[in-house]
Amino acid sequence: MTAVVRVFRRGEWRTSLDTAALPGTGGASYGLALVPEIVAHADRRWWDTTRATLPPLARRRELLLEAVELFGRGTVTVGGIGAQDAVGFRAALWGTAGLPGPLVDRWCAMLREALLKRGGEPVPDDRLSLVALPGNTFTCLDSVLDQAERSGAVWVRPSRREPLSAARLVAALLAVGWPAARIGLYPSEQRALHGLLKLADRRVVYGGAGLAASVRDAESLTLHGPGRGCALVPPGMSVEAAVDWLLPLVAADAGRFCSNVRTVVCTDPSQSHALASSLGAALDTISPDPASRDRPLTVFREPAEARRALQSVHERMRPGDRMLTRREPIVEVDGAPCVLPRLVRLQAPEGHPLVGHEVPFPFAAVLAAAPGTVRAVTAESLFVHRPAK
Protein backbone atom coordinates (compact mmCIF):
# COMPACT_ATOMS: atom_id res chain seq x y z
CA MET A 1 0.00 0.00 0.00
CA THR A 2 1.33 3.42 -0.96
CA ALA A 3 1.47 6.19 1.65
CA VAL A 4 1.13 9.49 -0.22
CA VAL A 5 2.68 12.45 1.57
CA ARG A 6 0.13 15.24 1.45
CA VAL A 7 0.68 18.89 0.69
CA PHE A 8 0.12 21.44 3.44
CA ARG A 9 -1.68 24.52 2.19
CA ARG A 10 -4.17 27.02 3.56
CA GLY A 11 -3.56 25.64 7.02
CA GLU A 12 -4.44 22.00 6.28
CA TRP A 13 -2.93 18.75 5.05
CA ARG A 14 -4.58 18.14 1.68
CA THR A 15 -4.60 15.51 -1.02
CA SER A 16 -4.01 16.23 -4.70
CA LEU A 17 -4.97 14.68 -8.01
CA ASP A 18 -1.34 15.11 -9.07
CA THR A 19 1.13 12.73 -7.45
CA ALA A 20 4.63 11.36 -7.98
CA ALA A 21 6.21 8.14 -6.76
CA LEU A 22 9.26 8.17 -4.53
CA PRO A 23 12.12 5.72 -5.16
CA GLY A 24 12.71 2.68 -2.98
CA THR A 25 10.37 0.96 -0.60
CA GLY A 26 11.48 1.31 3.02
CA GLY A 27 9.05 -1.49 3.89
CA ALA A 28 6.22 0.35 2.15
CA SER A 29 6.11 2.44 -0.99
CA TYR A 30 5.70 6.21 -0.77
CA GLY A 31 4.12 8.75 -3.04
CA LEU A 32 4.08 12.53 -2.99
CA ALA A 33 1.15 14.85 -3.66
CA LEU A 34 1.97 17.79 -5.95
CA VAL A 35 0.59 21.33 -6.03
CA PRO A 36 -0.43 22.52 -9.52
CA GLU A 37 0.69 26.02 -10.38
CA ILE A 38 -2.88 27.31 -10.67
CA VAL A 39 -3.58 26.18 -7.10
CA ALA A 40 -0.47 27.97 -5.85
CA HIS A 41 -1.65 31.17 -7.50
CA ALA A 42 -4.99 30.88 -5.68
CA ASP A 43 -3.17 30.24 -2.42
CA ARG A 44 -1.12 33.40 -2.86
CA ARG A 45 -4.35 35.38 -3.13
CA TRP A 46 -5.62 33.59 -0.01
CA TRP A 47 -2.46 34.56 1.86
CA ASP A 48 -2.84 38.21 0.86
CA THR A 49 -6.31 38.31 2.44
CA THR A 50 -5.38 36.18 5.46
CA ARG A 51 -2.16 37.75 6.70
CA ALA A 52 -3.85 40.92 7.96
CA THR A 53 -6.06 38.83 10.25
CA LEU A 54 -3.23 36.91 11.91
CA PRO A 55 -2.09 37.94 15.39
CA PRO A 56 1.64 38.61 15.94
CA LEU A 57 3.70 35.49 16.52
CA ALA A 58 5.89 35.69 19.61
CA ARG A 59 8.54 33.26 20.90
CA ARG A 60 9.61 32.37 17.36
CA ARG A 61 13.14 31.25 18.23
CA GLU A 62 11.85 29.21 21.16
CA LEU A 63 9.24 27.49 19.02
CA LEU A 64 11.79 26.72 16.33
CA LEU A 65 14.09 25.09 18.86
CA GLU A 66 11.22 22.97 20.16
CA ALA A 67 10.34 21.96 16.59
CA VAL A 68 13.93 20.96 15.76
CA GLU A 69 14.11 18.81 18.90
CA LEU A 70 10.85 17.11 17.92
CA PHE A 71 12.06 16.71 14.33
CA GLY A 72 15.12 14.77 15.43
CA ARG A 73 13.81 12.73 18.33
CA GLY A 74 10.04 12.89 18.68
CA THR A 75 6.80 11.65 17.18
CA VAL A 76 4.85 13.89 14.81
CA THR A 77 1.82 13.44 12.57
CA VAL A 78 2.65 13.85 8.89
CA GLY A 79 -0.24 14.22 6.49
CA GLY A 80 -0.67 11.03 4.48
CA ILE A 81 1.76 9.06 6.65
CA GLY A 82 0.28 9.45 10.10
CA ALA A 83 2.18 9.26 13.37
CA GLN A 84 5.90 8.97 12.66
CA ASP A 85 8.49 8.50 15.40
CA ALA A 86 12.24 9.04 15.10
CA VAL A 87 12.88 5.40 14.21
CA GLY A 88 10.19 5.47 11.53
CA PHE A 89 11.63 8.66 10.08
CA ARG A 90 15.07 7.11 9.76
CA ALA A 91 13.66 3.94 8.24
CA ALA A 92 11.73 5.96 5.68
CA LEU A 93 14.79 8.00 4.69
CA TRP A 94 16.91 4.87 4.34
CA GLY A 95 14.26 3.11 2.27
CA THR A 96 13.55 6.01 -0.11
CA ALA A 97 16.62 8.26 -0.20
CA GLY A 98 19.33 5.83 0.91
CA LEU A 99 20.37 7.92 3.91
CA PRO A 100 21.72 5.72 6.73
CA GLY A 101 20.71 6.32 10.34
CA PRO A 102 24.10 7.62 11.55
CA LEU A 103 24.07 10.27 8.80
CA VAL A 104 20.51 11.30 9.71
CA ASP A 105 21.58 11.57 13.36
CA ARG A 106 24.49 13.80 12.37
CA TRP A 107 22.37 16.07 10.19
CA CYS A 108 19.66 16.43 12.87
CA ALA A 109 22.38 17.50 15.31
CA MET A 110 23.76 19.97 12.77
CA LEU A 111 20.31 21.56 12.33
CA ARG A 112 19.99 22.02 16.07
CA GLU A 113 23.53 23.36 16.48
CA ALA A 114 23.07 25.88 13.66
CA LEU A 115 19.91 27.20 15.28
CA LEU A 116 21.59 27.46 18.70
CA LYS A 117 24.51 29.39 17.20
CA ARG A 118 22.31 31.86 15.36
CA GLY A 119 22.70 35.50 16.37
CA GLY A 120 20.05 37.98 17.46
CA GLU A 121 16.46 37.38 16.43
CA PRO A 122 15.39 39.32 13.32
CA VAL A 123 12.41 41.66 13.30
CA PRO A 124 9.76 39.70 11.36
CA ASP A 125 7.82 41.19 8.47
CA ASP A 126 4.69 40.03 6.63
CA ARG A 127 6.39 38.87 3.44
CA LEU A 128 5.81 35.44 1.90
CA SER A 129 9.04 33.47 1.53
CA LEU A 130 9.69 30.41 -0.61
CA VAL A 131 12.50 27.94 0.11
CA ALA A 132 13.22 25.47 -2.72
CA LEU A 133 15.22 22.61 -1.21
CA PRO A 134 17.76 20.19 -2.72
CA GLY A 135 17.66 16.42 -2.49
CA ASN A 136 21.24 15.86 -1.35
CA THR A 137 20.88 16.85 2.33
CA PHE A 138 18.14 18.02 4.68
CA THR A 139 20.51 20.31 6.60
CA CYS A 140 19.29 22.96 4.15
CA LEU A 141 16.11 23.02 6.23
CA ASP A 142 18.09 25.60 8.20
CA SER A 143 16.96 28.08 5.54
CA VAL A 144 13.34 27.17 6.28
CA LEU A 145 13.94 27.91 9.96
CA ASP A 146 15.59 31.21 9.07
CA GLN A 147 12.74 32.33 6.82
CA ALA A 148 10.11 31.18 9.31
CA GLU A 149 11.71 33.41 11.92
CA ARG A 150 11.82 36.51 9.73
CA SER A 151 8.79 36.17 7.42
CA GLY A 152 5.03 36.40 7.60
CA ALA A 153 4.84 32.90 6.13
CA VAL A 154 7.17 30.43 4.46
CA TRP A 155 6.29 27.95 1.73
CA VAL A 156 8.62 24.97 1.46
CA ARG A 157 9.17 23.36 -1.92
CA PRO A 158 10.87 20.03 -1.14
CA SER A 159 12.97 18.05 -3.54
CA ARG A 160 10.97 15.27 -5.15
CA ARG A 161 13.96 13.00 -4.48
CA GLU A 162 13.69 13.54 -0.72
CA PRO A 163 10.52 15.30 0.52
CA LEU A 164 10.10 13.37 3.77
CA SER A 165 12.33 15.58 5.90
CA ALA A 166 10.54 18.75 4.79
CA ALA A 167 7.15 17.20 5.51
CA ARG A 168 8.37 16.13 8.95
CA LEU A 169 9.64 19.62 9.77
CA VAL A 170 6.26 21.13 8.82
CA ALA A 171 4.59 18.56 11.08
CA ALA A 172 7.01 19.38 13.91
CA LEU A 173 6.32 23.11 13.60
CA LEU A 174 2.58 22.50 13.76
CA ALA A 175 3.01 20.23 16.78
CA VAL A 176 4.75 22.95 18.80
CA GLY A 177 2.10 25.53 18.01
CA TRP A 178 3.35 27.28 14.88
CA PRO A 179 0.34 28.96 13.23
CA ALA A 180 -0.88 26.77 10.38
CA ALA A 181 -1.44 29.74 8.07
CA ARG A 182 2.23 30.71 8.35
CA ILE A 183 3.68 27.49 6.91
CA GLY A 184 3.14 25.57 3.68
CA LEU A 185 4.48 22.48 1.93
CA TYR A 186 4.36 22.93 -1.84
CA PRO A 187 5.88 19.98 -3.74
CA SER A 188 5.67 20.59 -7.47
CA GLU A 189 6.86 19.55 -10.88
CA GLN A 190 10.21 21.04 -11.87
CA ARG A 191 8.56 23.20 -14.51
CA ALA A 192 6.36 24.82 -11.84
CA LEU A 193 9.31 26.15 -9.80
CA HIS A 194 9.61 29.38 -11.73
CA GLY A 195 5.91 30.05 -11.22
CA LEU A 196 6.31 29.54 -7.48
CA LEU A 197 9.26 31.91 -7.44
CA LYS A 198 7.13 34.64 -8.98
CA LEU A 199 4.51 34.23 -6.25
CA ALA A 200 6.94 34.73 -3.36
CA ASP A 201 8.25 38.00 -1.97
CA ARG A 202 11.54 36.46 -0.83
CA ARG A 203 13.19 33.38 -2.34
CA VAL A 204 15.86 30.91 -1.27
CA VAL A 205 16.80 28.36 -3.94
CA TYR A 206 19.17 25.39 -3.80
CA GLY A 207 20.18 23.53 -6.94
CA GLY A 208 22.76 22.43 -9.46
CA ALA A 209 24.38 24.47 -12.19
CA GLY A 210 21.45 24.26 -14.62
CA LEU A 211 18.86 25.37 -12.09
CA ALA A 212 21.16 28.06 -10.71
CA ALA A 213 21.59 29.58 -14.16
CA SER A 214 17.85 29.57 -14.85
CA VAL A 215 16.87 31.47 -11.69
CA ARG A 216 19.89 33.73 -11.23
CA ASP A 217 18.06 36.90 -12.35
CA ALA A 218 15.09 36.55 -9.98
CA GLU A 219 14.62 39.42 -7.54
CA SER A 220 15.00 39.07 -3.76
CA LEU A 221 16.80 35.77 -4.37
CA THR A 222 19.33 33.93 -2.25
CA LEU A 223 20.88 31.29 -4.51
CA HIS A 224 22.84 28.29 -3.25
CA GLY A 225 24.39 26.72 -6.33
CA PRO A 226 27.39 24.43 -6.85
CA GLY A 227 30.16 24.99 -4.31
CA ARG A 228 33.05 23.49 -6.32
CA GLY A 229 35.01 23.12 -3.06
CA CYS A 230 38.78 22.99 -3.31
CA ALA A 231 41.69 22.48 -0.90
CA LEU A 232 45.10 24.10 -1.25
CA VAL A 233 47.96 21.94 0.04
CA PRO A 234 50.89 24.18 1.03
CA PRO A 235 54.44 23.26 0.03
CA GLY A 236 56.26 21.31 2.73
CA MET A 237 53.17 19.77 4.29
CA SER A 238 53.80 16.10 4.99
CA VAL A 239 51.75 13.50 3.15
CA GLU A 240 50.47 12.05 6.42
CA ALA A 241 49.30 15.43 7.72
CA ALA A 242 47.74 16.31 4.38
CA VAL A 243 45.75 13.06 4.23
CA ASP A 244 44.51 13.51 7.81
CA TRP A 245 43.34 17.00 6.88
CA LEU A 246 41.84 16.13 3.50
CA LEU A 247 40.02 12.89 4.25
CA PRO A 248 37.09 14.44 6.16
CA LEU A 249 36.90 17.35 3.71
CA VAL A 250 36.36 14.91 0.85
CA ALA A 251 34.34 12.17 2.55
CA ALA A 252 32.34 13.73 5.40
CA ASP A 253 28.55 13.79 5.00
CA ALA A 254 28.79 11.15 2.25
CA GLY A 255 30.33 13.78 -0.03
CA ARG A 256 26.94 15.45 -0.44
CA PHE A 257 27.66 18.95 0.79
CA CYS A 258 28.48 21.82 -1.55
CA SER A 259 31.41 22.54 0.78
CA ASN A 260 32.97 19.09 0.29
CA VAL A 261 36.35 19.22 -1.42
CA ARG A 262 36.19 18.21 -5.10
CA THR A 263 39.63 19.49 -6.13
CA VAL A 264 42.90 19.05 -4.23
CA VAL A 265 45.53 21.50 -5.46
CA CYS A 266 49.24 20.93 -4.83
CA THR A 267 51.43 23.92 -5.65
CA ASP A 268 54.54 21.73 -5.26
CA PRO A 269 54.48 19.15 -8.09
CA SER A 270 56.60 16.73 -6.09
CA GLN A 271 53.75 16.39 -3.56
CA SER A 272 50.94 15.38 -5.86
CA HIS A 273 51.87 11.77 -6.70
CA ALA A 274 52.54 10.58 -3.15
CA LEU A 275 49.62 12.57 -1.71
CA ALA A 276 47.16 11.27 -4.29
CA SER A 277 48.22 7.66 -3.74
CA SER A 278 47.91 7.94 0.05
CA LEU A 279 44.60 9.79 -0.06
CA GLY A 280 43.20 7.20 -2.49
CA ALA A 281 44.25 4.40 -0.13
CA ALA A 282 42.59 6.18 2.80
CA LEU A 283 39.35 6.61 0.84
CA ASP A 284 39.42 2.89 0.05
CA THR A 285 39.16 2.11 3.79
CA ILE A 286 35.76 3.80 4.20
CA SER A 287 33.12 1.18 4.93
CA PRO A 288 29.80 1.00 3.07
CA ASP A 289 28.16 -0.53 6.16
CA PRO A 290 25.05 1.63 6.84
CA ALA A 291 25.56 1.19 10.59
CA SER A 292 29.04 2.75 10.42
CA ARG A 293 29.26 6.03 12.29
CA ASP A 294 32.68 6.86 10.82
CA ARG A 295 31.98 8.71 7.56
CA PRO A 296 28.82 6.78 6.56
CA LEU A 297 27.99 6.45 2.87
CA THR A 298 24.62 6.58 1.13
CA VAL A 299 22.99 4.22 -1.33
CA PHE A 300 21.03 5.00 -4.49
CA ARG A 301 17.45 3.74 -4.53
CA GLU A 302 17.39 4.35 -8.28
CA PRO A 303 20.22 2.21 -9.74
CA ALA A 304 20.32 4.20 -12.98
CA GLU A 305 21.13 7.33 -10.98
CA ALA A 306 24.13 5.60 -9.41
CA ARG A 307 25.43 4.55 -12.83
CA ARG A 308 24.96 8.06 -14.24
CA ALA A 309 26.78 9.68 -11.33
CA LEU A 310 29.73 7.30 -11.62
CA GLN A 311 29.80 7.55 -15.41
CA SER A 312 29.95 11.34 -15.18
CA VAL A 313 33.38 10.96 -13.56
CA HIS A 314 34.76 8.41 -16.01
CA GLU A 315 33.50 10.30 -19.06
CA ARG A 316 35.38 13.42 -17.95
CA MET A 317 38.72 11.68 -17.52
CA ARG A 318 41.38 12.54 -20.10
CA PRO A 319 44.36 10.54 -21.39
CA GLY A 320 47.01 10.40 -18.69
CA ASP A 321 44.59 10.78 -15.78
CA ARG A 322 44.71 7.97 -13.21
CA MET A 323 42.02 6.54 -10.96
CA LEU A 324 43.77 5.98 -7.63
CA THR A 325 41.00 4.36 -5.62
CA ARG A 326 41.33 0.62 -6.20
CA ARG A 327 38.07 -0.98 -5.10
CA GLU A 328 35.26 -1.86 -7.44
CA PRO A 329 33.32 1.41 -7.72
CA ILE A 330 29.89 0.04 -6.81
CA VAL A 331 28.88 -2.45 -4.13
CA GLU A 332 25.39 -3.59 -3.23
CA VAL A 333 24.08 -2.63 0.21
CA ASP A 334 20.57 -3.60 1.28
CA GLY A 335 19.75 -4.43 -2.32
CA ALA A 336 20.81 -1.01 -3.60
CA PRO A 337 24.01 0.31 -5.22
CA CYS A 338 26.48 2.22 -3.08
CA VAL A 339 29.05 4.20 -5.06
CA LEU A 340 32.33 4.05 -3.17
CA PRO A 341 34.67 7.07 -2.91
CA ARG A 342 36.65 7.88 -6.04
CA LEU A 343 39.90 9.80 -6.46
CA VAL A 344 41.52 10.80 -9.77
CA ARG A 345 44.94 12.35 -10.31
CA LEU A 346 44.87 14.72 -13.26
CA GLN A 347 47.69 14.78 -15.77
CA ALA A 348 46.99 18.25 -17.20
CA PRO A 349 44.64 20.35 -15.06
CA GLU A 350 44.09 23.39 -17.29
CA GLY A 351 40.42 23.53 -18.27
CA HIS A 352 39.84 20.00 -17.01
CA PRO A 353 36.14 19.05 -16.71
CA LEU A 354 36.75 17.17 -13.44
CA VAL A 355 37.93 20.30 -11.63
CA GLY A 356 35.06 21.18 -9.30
CA HIS A 357 32.88 18.36 -10.61
CA GLU A 358 30.12 17.54 -8.10
CA VAL A 359 28.52 14.12 -7.65
CA PRO A 360 26.43 12.71 -4.75
CA PHE A 361 29.25 10.58 -3.34
CA PRO A 362 32.80 11.33 -2.12
CA PHE A 363 34.91 12.30 -5.12
CA ALA A 364 37.94 14.50 -5.66
CA ALA A 365 40.54 15.24 -8.31
CA VAL A 366 44.19 15.86 -7.31
CA LEU A 367 46.32 18.12 -9.43
CA ALA A 368 49.65 19.92 -9.42
CA ALA A 369 49.20 23.51 -10.49
CA ALA A 370 51.14 26.63 -11.32
CA PRO A 371 50.03 29.89 -9.69
CA GLY A 372 47.83 30.87 -12.63
CA THR A 373 45.90 27.60 -12.47
CA VAL A 374 45.53 27.93 -8.70
CA ARG A 375 43.93 31.35 -9.16
CA ALA A 376 41.57 29.97 -11.80
CA VAL A 377 40.47 27.07 -9.58
CA THR A 378 39.90 29.19 -6.49
CA ALA A 379 38.05 31.86 -8.46
CA GLU A 380 35.42 29.28 -9.40
CA SER A 381 35.11 27.84 -5.88
CA LEU A 382 32.77 29.05 -3.15
CA PHE A 383 34.69 27.02 -0.56
CA VAL A 384 38.48 27.29 -0.54
CA HIS A 385 39.98 25.20 2.26
CA ARG A 386 43.44 25.91 3.70
CA PRO A 387 45.05 24.06 6.62
CA ALA A 388 45.10 25.89 9.94
CA LYS A 389 48.44 27.38 10.74
Side-chain angles (χ1 to χ4, degrees):
M1 181 177 179
T2 300
V4 179
V5 180
R6 296 179 180 178
V7 303
F8 191 82
R9 43 178 292 270
R10 298 199 186 194
E12 296 180 8
W13 293 104
R14 298 170 182 260
T15 59
S16 174
L17 294 177
D18 298 324
T19 61
L22 300 188
T25 59
S29 56
Y30 286 89
L32 176 66
L34 304 175
V35 178
E37 193 170 340
I38 190 172
V39 171
H41 277 269
D43 288 355
R44 171 68 211 225
R45 293 192 294 270
W46 171 83
W47 165 248
D48 288 337
T49 60
T50 299
R51 60 183 169 184
T53 69
L54 297 175
L57 175 58
R59 301 174 51 244
R60 291 196 184 206
R61 180 70 60 84
E62 184 179 338
L63 288 174
L64 293 176
L65 282 168
E66 291 176 11
V68 167
E69 290 285 353
L70 197 58
F71 174 87
R73 305 176 184 178
T75 298
V76 299
T77 301
V78 181
I81 295 178
Q84 182 191 67
D85 61 14
V87 174
F89 174 51
R90 285 155 177 76
L93 284 185
W94 174 245
T96 59
L99 303 180
L103 194 60
V104 176
D105 293 343
R106 172 176 164 82
W107 289 354
C108 286
M110 292 175 72
L111 267 181
R112 181 177 180 275
E113 290 166 7
L115 189 55
L116 288 171
K117 291 178 181 177
R118 195 170 290 172
E121 298 183 33
V123 177
D125 54 36
D126 66 350
R127 302 177 77 182
L128 173 63
S129 294
L130 173 75
V131 180
L133 294 166
N136 57 314
T137 170
F138 64 74
T139 57
C140 297
L141 289 170
D142 182 61
S143 288
V144 176
L145 301 174
D146 176 62
Q147 293 303 316
E149 190 168 22
R150 70 179 63 251
S151 306
V154 57
W155 288 1
V156 185
R157 181 190 181 270
S159 165
R160 284 178 53 185
R161 287 188 293 146
E162 197 287 275
L164 299 180
S165 58
R168 181 173 172 85
L169 180 61
V170 169
L173 285 166
L174 296 171
V176 301
W178 200 267
R182 294 187 182 275
I183 189 72
L185 184 70
Y186 281 75
S188 69
E189 298 279 1
Q190 182 64 37
R191 62 177 180 269
L193 173 58
H194 291 82
L196 283 173
L197 291 173
K198 293 177 182 177
L199 295 175
D201 303 314
R202 190 158 47 226
R203 308 151 182 89
V204 180
V205 178
Y206 292 84
L211 175 61
S214 71
V215 303
R216 196 176 301 277
D217 295 331
E219 296 180 1
S220 302
L221 171 70
T222 301
L223 175 63
H224 299 277
R228 299 174 63 88
C230 68
L232 305 183
V233 182
M237 189 176 193
S238 72
V239 168
E240 181 180 41
V243 170
D244 288 345
W245 171 57
L246 290 168
L247 186 62
L249 294 176
V250 174
D253 300 296
R256 289 188 166 220
F257 281 12
C258 60
S259 57
N260 278 111
V261 164
R262 307 296 179 176
T263 311
V264 177
V265 183
C266 298
T267 54
D268 180 354
S270 65
Q271 286 178 307
S272 63
H273 285 63
L275 173 58
S277 295
S278 295
L279 182 57
L283 289 168
D284 274 338
T285 67
I286 294 176
S287 171
D289 183 351
S292 172
R293 306 198 74 86
D294 184 19
R295 302 186 184 94
L297 300 175
T298 59
V299 301
F300 290 76
R301 292 301 177 184
E302 293 181 329
E305 185 183 354
R307 292 192 294 271
R308 283 194 299 270
L310 180 62
Q311 187 177 7
S312 74
V313 172
H314 288 271
E315 288 178 342
R316 286 168 171 79
M317 291 180 68
R318 291 175 172 175
D321 295 342
R322 289 192 60 192
M323 181 70 70
L324 294 180
T325 38
R326 303 300 185 186
R327 291 182 292 182
E328 287 296 317
I330 295 179
V331 297
E332 188 173 286
V333 177
D334 190 33
C338 173
V339 181
L340 299 177
R342 303 274 87 191
L343 187 79
V344 175
R345 191 181 75 234
L346 307 186
Q347 175 69 23
E350 286 74 19
H352 201 295
L354 280 178
V355 172
H357 182 57
E358 296 191 358
V359 284
F361 59 87
F363 163 75
V366 179
L367 58 91
T373 301
V374 174
R375 288 192 295 270
V377 171
T378 56
E380 293 294 323
S381 176
L382 295 180
F383 300 93
V384 179
H385 300 269
R386 295 177 173 86
K389 295 182 179 180

